[in-house]
Each structure stands twice: as C-alpha cells, then as structure tokens.
Amino acid sequence: IQIEVSNNPVQVVRSGQTVNDQIIFKNPIKGWAIAMAKDKISFHVIKDYSGWHHFKNELIIPFYEIYLSLGLGKGRRQSNMIYLNRFTKDISVDLSDYYTIIQRLDHSFGVEANTFIQRTFNAANNVLITKLNSQARPDGKKNIILECGAICRDVRLMMSNNWEEQTDKTHMPIRNFFEAIITEKLRKEL
C-alpha cells in the first residue's frame, strides 16, 4: 500500500494489489465447494469427508482438469491443505487430555475460557501448521477447532506440470501430523 502525503487536505491511498473476481461452485448434496479465480482454485469438503483417495479422485482431479482446460492455472503453483476439525466439550474439560500441543495447568487458576495455540514446523518439502482454538459458550460448553495443515515448498513441484504429485506430497505428512497432535483419549472418541 502506498500513502501519498501532500499539502492538500486530502490524502490518497493506493493499493498495489488488484482484486480478482472469484466464483464459488457448491454441491449441497455432496457437501463440496470449489472456489475458482484467475490464478486460484480451492477445493473444500464441507461435510462427510470420506478420505483423501475419494477427495482427490472425485473432486480435485476432474475439476482441476476443467480449470486447466480453461487456460487457467499457468505458471508457479502453490499447494496448501488444511483439515479442520470441530468439537464441542464441557467448559471444565482440560484440553491437555485431548491434545498433545497444550500442557495442563493447575485448576487453581480457574476454568480456561479461551485458547489459541499455533505451532509451525519446517519439514523437508512442507511447512506443517497446527492451530488449536477454543472459545467458551454461555451454556457451559466450549467450541474447539483444530486445524492441521501443510504448505508445499518443493520448488521443483511448484514449477512442474505434475500437480498430482504436488498434492500427494503436500497431503502425505498430514495424517501422521494429526495423529501426533491428538491424545489416545480423543482418538478413542473419533
């Protein structure tokens, strides 16, 4: 952003970014959504995620091929994946009983009302990110959101035509990463 200051009483603010239109295609029956713009395509499963194989073969591959056939998606490509898990627990529940990324604190401090923890790890071909967020509700419960994701940083794949290999390599560490973040107690409840 550039701000110009002059002797005039009015200041002009200019943004260096151009906003591109984006279209969102939804399939409410399957619970899918695809956000598409000139240099971006994003795939989402909103409900009933049935696994990577299905997500990749039924959603990503056919619709990314259409995206490419429109002449879009040329040049350097970035691949990001995020698994978003939502839970509701009683306000008195210790998050450390469910997640390895948080330590238990003495209850003499009171009841934990809100939490936000983010951890980022640099791996060989990916950046791995996890976020744990909880917020107390008036009904004595708390909403918990756990994000677990990866960003591909393999430059060879970002510039190649092999986008399927890029998505597979981005996805590959997420399952093990998620398993390392949760405790046996949560694993039994899933």
Side-chain angles (χ1 to χ4, degrees), residues 88-105:
T88 302
K89 298 284 181 197
D90 190 76
I91 191 73
S92 63
V93 165
D94 285 323
L95 293 177
S96 61
D97 288 345
Y98 294 92
Y99 307 99
T100 62
I101 59 174
I102 190 167
Q103 280 188 304
R104 180 184 309 274
L105 289 176

Side-chain angles (χ1 to χ4, degrees), residues 138-183:
D139 64 356
K141 304 280 186 191
K142 61 180 154 189
N143 292 328
I144 303 166
I145 298 174
L146 177 67
E147 293 180 39
C148 186
I151 301 168
C152 178
R153 60 181 224 180
D154 186 330
V155 177
R156 178 188 63 83
L157 290 174
M158 295 166 107
M159 297 303 292
S160 78
N161 289 329
N162 196 343
W163 60 269
E164 284 187 65
E165 181 183 0
Q166 184 183 17
T167 59
D168 285 335
K169 286 204 173 181
T170 306
H171 174 263
M172 190 173 22
I174 292 178
R175 179 68 183 186
N176 291 338
F177 191 49
F178 177 75
E179 290 293 330
I181 291 166
I182 65 171
T183 65

